[in-house]
């Protein structure tokens, strides 16, 4: 599947230098290029990659009309005006994708120019992607375990409070002439500090559990006002910051009502309220495809893929699957050819010489890198397995504690009703 996916389309006008006139049409931004298509003839007048852009500026044509100018490497200058919903919106989004493309492709260009892509490098890339996904999953799993520990501490605090309530109820139920009743009113002085410490630790854990952080173009309420910023995904929620790193809004995990995926590069987050306006943000980012799988795990029941993103979701893993199939198919074919050559080595003496002269499918450096990645994957899988076993035990303990607490509360409620 091609990476050249349409990100956004805006109505605008393009200036034809030869004919000295403005032509209405639509400007389309994809993940790799920018193109303009006329409304009447549906002809593509401009189509150039983002990597060929040297400069993007805000200018005014004839000192009146606000425009965006884009300068290419061959010094071709393109003028776009009458941009909707506004010039600032279009400029911010195009500039964001242009800068992120330059940052992401600078390292990739060096790597591609240094050595050609081989089957070993393809397999190494697949394994590295798998390792990254497993590391993200392990990080989320680890912070999930910390949250379970915080829940266990809260249940322990509830049980200690219920013990105090039991002593108080016993005091109220005892006769007034009972000589040792005053001792039952003494409460442990360390109860409140312990609770405060546990609350502070749970808040600190939520703040420190950063899963991923990406730059984004942020809009609220209307799409005509956008600003650059940053989206940070925590285990406990989501945070949106502006370009000055000031917090615009924090969504706690339970406060998020729905997340809509419009395209692989655009999402909207909403928190509903009764009696006052909802809080909603729309975010566009070139790094959004890295965040969407994490949001699927954290908000599986609240995330919704719209029509444009739904088609891409079904084929999102197909390139990896096709690459993996081709690599393993080639590797199996190589082993079959090797076995066939070994079987026929007695009849043909020239075949081993030809096999020795042929290049190996996977180089020694790639095989060593694959071994290292496989060791890391094994360690991550073992750590995840042990953490899951520990969390299963913690869940069993939490379930038993909740049952005990529920029974104790019911018993205390009955005792209170008898006193009243």
């Amino acid at each position: 599947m091609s990476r050249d996916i349409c990100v956004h389309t805006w109505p605008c006008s393009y200036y034809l230098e030869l004919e000295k006139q403005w032509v209405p049409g639509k400007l389309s931004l994809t993940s790799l290029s920018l193109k303009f298509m006329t409304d009447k003839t549906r002809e593509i007048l401009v189509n150039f990659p983002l990597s060929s852009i040297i400069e993007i500026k805000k200018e005014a044509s004839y000192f009146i009309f606000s425009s965006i100018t884009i300068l290419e490497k061959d010094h071709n200058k393109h003028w776009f005006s009458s941009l909707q919903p506004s010039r600032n919106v279009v400029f911010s989004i195009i500039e964001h994708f242009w800068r992120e493309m330059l940052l992401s492709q600078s390292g990739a260009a060096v790597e591609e120019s240094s050595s050609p892509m081989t089957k070993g490098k393809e397999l190494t890339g697949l394994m590295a992607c798998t390792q990254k996904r497993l590391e993200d999953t392990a990080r989320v799993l680890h912070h999930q375990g910390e949250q379970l520990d915080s829940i266990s501490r809260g249940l322990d605090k509830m049980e200690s409070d219920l013990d105090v309530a039991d002593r108080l109820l016993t005091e109220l139920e005892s006769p007034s002439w009972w000589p040792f009743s005053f001792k039952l009113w003494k409460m442990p002085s360390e109860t409140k500090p312990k609770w405060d410490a546990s609350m502070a630790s749970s808040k600190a854990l939520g703040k420190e559990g950063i899963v991923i952080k990406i730059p984004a173009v942020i809009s609220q309420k209307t799409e005509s006002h956008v600003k650059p910023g940053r989206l940070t995904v925590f285990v406990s929620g989501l945070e949106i910051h502006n370009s000055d790193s000031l917090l615009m809004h924090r969504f706690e995990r339970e406060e998020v009502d729905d997340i809509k995926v419009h395209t692989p590069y655009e999402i909207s987050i909403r928190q509903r309220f009764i009696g006052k306006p909802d809080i909603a943000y729309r975010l566009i980012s070139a790094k959004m495809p890295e965040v969407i799988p994490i949001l699927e795990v954290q908000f599986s029941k609240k995330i919704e893929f719209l029509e444009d993103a739904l088609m891409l979701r079904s084929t999102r893993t197909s390139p990896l699957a096709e690459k993996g199939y081709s690599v393993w198919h080639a590797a199996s074919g190589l082993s079959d050819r090797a076995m066939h050559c070994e079987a026929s080595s007695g009849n043909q003496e020239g075949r081993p010489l030809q096999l020795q002269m042929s290049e190996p499918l996977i180089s020694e450096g790639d095989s060593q890198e694959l071994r290292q990645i496989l060791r890391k994957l094994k360690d991550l899988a073992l750590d995840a397995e042990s953490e899951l076993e520990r969390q299963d035990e913690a869940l069993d303990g939490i379930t038993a504690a909740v049952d005990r607490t529920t029974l104790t509360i019911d018993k205390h409620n009955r005792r209170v009703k008898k006193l009243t």
Side-chain angles (χ1 to χ4, degrees):
M1 180 181 171
S2 175
R3 289 181 55 220
D4 202 11
I5 302 168
C6 183
V7 177
H8 217 292
T9 301
W10 303 278
C12 70
S13 297
Y14 176 71
Y15 184 70
L16 290 175
E17 186 68 27
L18 297 177
E19 300 180 7
K20 304 295 182 181
Q21 66 176 359
W22 291 90
V23 180
K26 288 182 174 59
L27 178 64
S28 298
L29 170 67
T30 68
S31 56
L32 298 174
S33 63
L34 196 66
K35 65 179 180 180
F36 177 84
M37 179 183 294
T38 61
D39 288 337
K40 290 184 178 180
T41 61
R42 311 294 294 177
E43 180 185 358
I44 298 177
L45 298 181
V46 175
N47 189 2
F48 53 89
L50 296 178
S51 57
S52 66
I53 297 176
I54 298 177
E55 186 182 43
I56 302 177
K57 293 176 62 177
K58 297 178 183 178
E59 297 189 28
S61 58
Y62 301 107
F63 303 100
I64 298 175
F65 304 105
S66 60
S67 305
I68 292 177
T69 60
I70 298 177
L71 183 64
E72 289 189 84
K73 291 180 180 178
D74 54 1
H75 300 288
N76 287 334
K77 193 172 184 180
H78 306 280
W79 287 77
F80 301 95
S81 186
S82 302
L83 296 155
Q84 298 179 12
S86 69
R87 180 181 66 170
N88 293 333
V89 172
V90 181
F91 177 83
S92 299
I93 295 176
I94 294 177
E95 186 187 37
H96 166 79
F97 275 84
W98 175 52
R99 292 184 182 276
E100 291 299 324
M101 184 274 307
L102 291 179
L103 292 174
S104 62
Q105 288 196 352
S106 59
V110 173
E111 184 179 356
E112 290 178 0
S113 61
S114 60
S115 61
M117 180 62 68
T118 61
K119 294 294 183 181
K121 291 188 179 299
E122 289 183 8
L123 185 57
T124 303
L126 290 172
M127 298 299 291
C129 182
T130 303
Q131 177 185 344
K132 185 178 182 301
R133 294 300 180 200
L134 189 55
E135 287 175 352
D136 293 340
T137 305
R139 193 179 299 113
V140 174
L141 190 63
H142 173 70
H143 290 290
Q144 178 177 294
E146 292 179 342
Q147 288 183 335
L148 290 177
D149 294 339
S150 177
I151 293 172
S152 299
R153 290 193 296 269
L155 288 172
D156 292 339
K157 173 63 176 58
M158 289 180 64
E159 289 185 354
S160 64
D161 290 344
L162 289 174
D163 291 338
V164 175
D166 180 69
R167 290 196 295 271
L168 294 176
L169 287 172
T170 303
E171 165 67 18
L172 293 174
E173 292 172 347
S174 63
S176 59
W177 49 266
W178 184 249
F180 305 104
S181 59
F182 68 94
K183 295 183 180 180
L184 298 173
W185 287 92
K186 293 183 179 180
M187 298 177 64
S189 59
E190 297 180 357
T191 302
K192 187 173 181 180
K194 286 183 179 179
W195 174 246
D196 293 340
S198 63
M199 288 291 292
S201 63
S202 63
K203 290 181 180 179
L205 288 174
K207 283 288 184 181
E208 294 174 358
I210 297 178
V211 180
I212 192 171
K213 185 188 300 182
I214 62 167
V217 178
I218 304 164
S219 62
Q220 187 181 11
K221 294 181 181 178
T222 61
E223 296 183 3
S224 58
H225 296 87
V226 300
K227 59 181 69 176
R230 184 179 74 246
L231 170 66
T232 306
V233 180
F234 294 88
V235 176
S236 57
L238 306 171
E239 283 189 1
I240 299 175
H241 296 79
N242 60 12
S243 57
D244 298 327
S245 298
L246 297 177
L247 180 64
M248 298 176 60
H249 189 74
R250 174 178 173 86
F251 293 95
E252 296 295 338
R253 189 168 181 175
E254 62 276 4
E255 293 176 352
V256 176
D257 289 311
D258 61 69
I259 298 176
K260 293 183 179 180
V261 181
H262 302 272
T263 67
Y265 302 95
E266 184 177 3
I267 65 170
S268 59
I269 307 170
R270 182 172 61 171
Q271 178 183 358
R272 293 192 181 96
F273 291 96
I274 298 177
K276 61 179 181 177
D278 299 343
I279 296 177
Y281 286 89
R282 200 178 185 101
L283 300 99
I284 299 177
S285 175
K287 302 289 186 181
M288 196 63 72
E290 301 178 11
V291 177
I292 292 176
I294 299 174
L295 296 178
E296 279 190 86
V297 176
Q298 289 193 340
F299 304 95
S300 58
K301 296 182 179 179
K302 299 178 180 180
I303 192 167
E304 178 186 359
F305 287 83
L306 300 183
E307 185 177 357
D308 293 340
L310 195 60
M311 295 186 299
L312 299 170
R313 184 190 183 193
S314 60
T315 58
R316 185 172 58 193
T317 57
S318 60
L320 295 177
E322 291 173 0
K323 288 182 180 179
Y325 173 78
S326 61
V327 170
W328 290 113
H329 182 71
S332 62
L334 178 64
S335 61
D336 292 340
R337 289 195 300 271
M339 292 177 62
H340 177 73
C341 290
E342 288 178 0
S344 60
S345 60
N347 297 330
Q348 298 180 355
E349 297 180 355
R351 288 294 181 184
L353 182 59
Q354 293 181 2
L355 285 175
Q356 292 176 3
M357 296 298 292
S358 62
E359 296 181 357
L361 185 65
I362 300 178
S363 64
E364 184 66 24
D366 293 337
S367 62
Q368 290 180 359
E369 189 174 356
L370 284 173
R371 288 193 206 100
Q372 293 178 358
I373 294 176
L374 287 173
R375 290 193 197 100
K376 292 179 182 179
L377 288 176
K378 181 181 178 181
D379 294 339
L380 287 171
L382 292 175
D383 292 341
E385 183 182 6
S386 60
E387 180 65 20
L388 282 173
E389 291 177 355
R390 190 188 71 82
Q391 291 186 19
D392 287 339
E393 295 177 359
L395 284 173
D396 293 338
I398 290 173
T399 303
V402 168
D403 293 338
R404 289 195 306 270
T405 303
T406 303
L407 292 175
T408 305
I409 291 174
D410 293 338
K411 182 177 70 175
H412 288 355
N413 287 335
R414 290 194 297 269
R415 294 171 66 183
V416 169
K417 287 180 180 178
K418 288 182 180 180
L419 291 173
T420 56

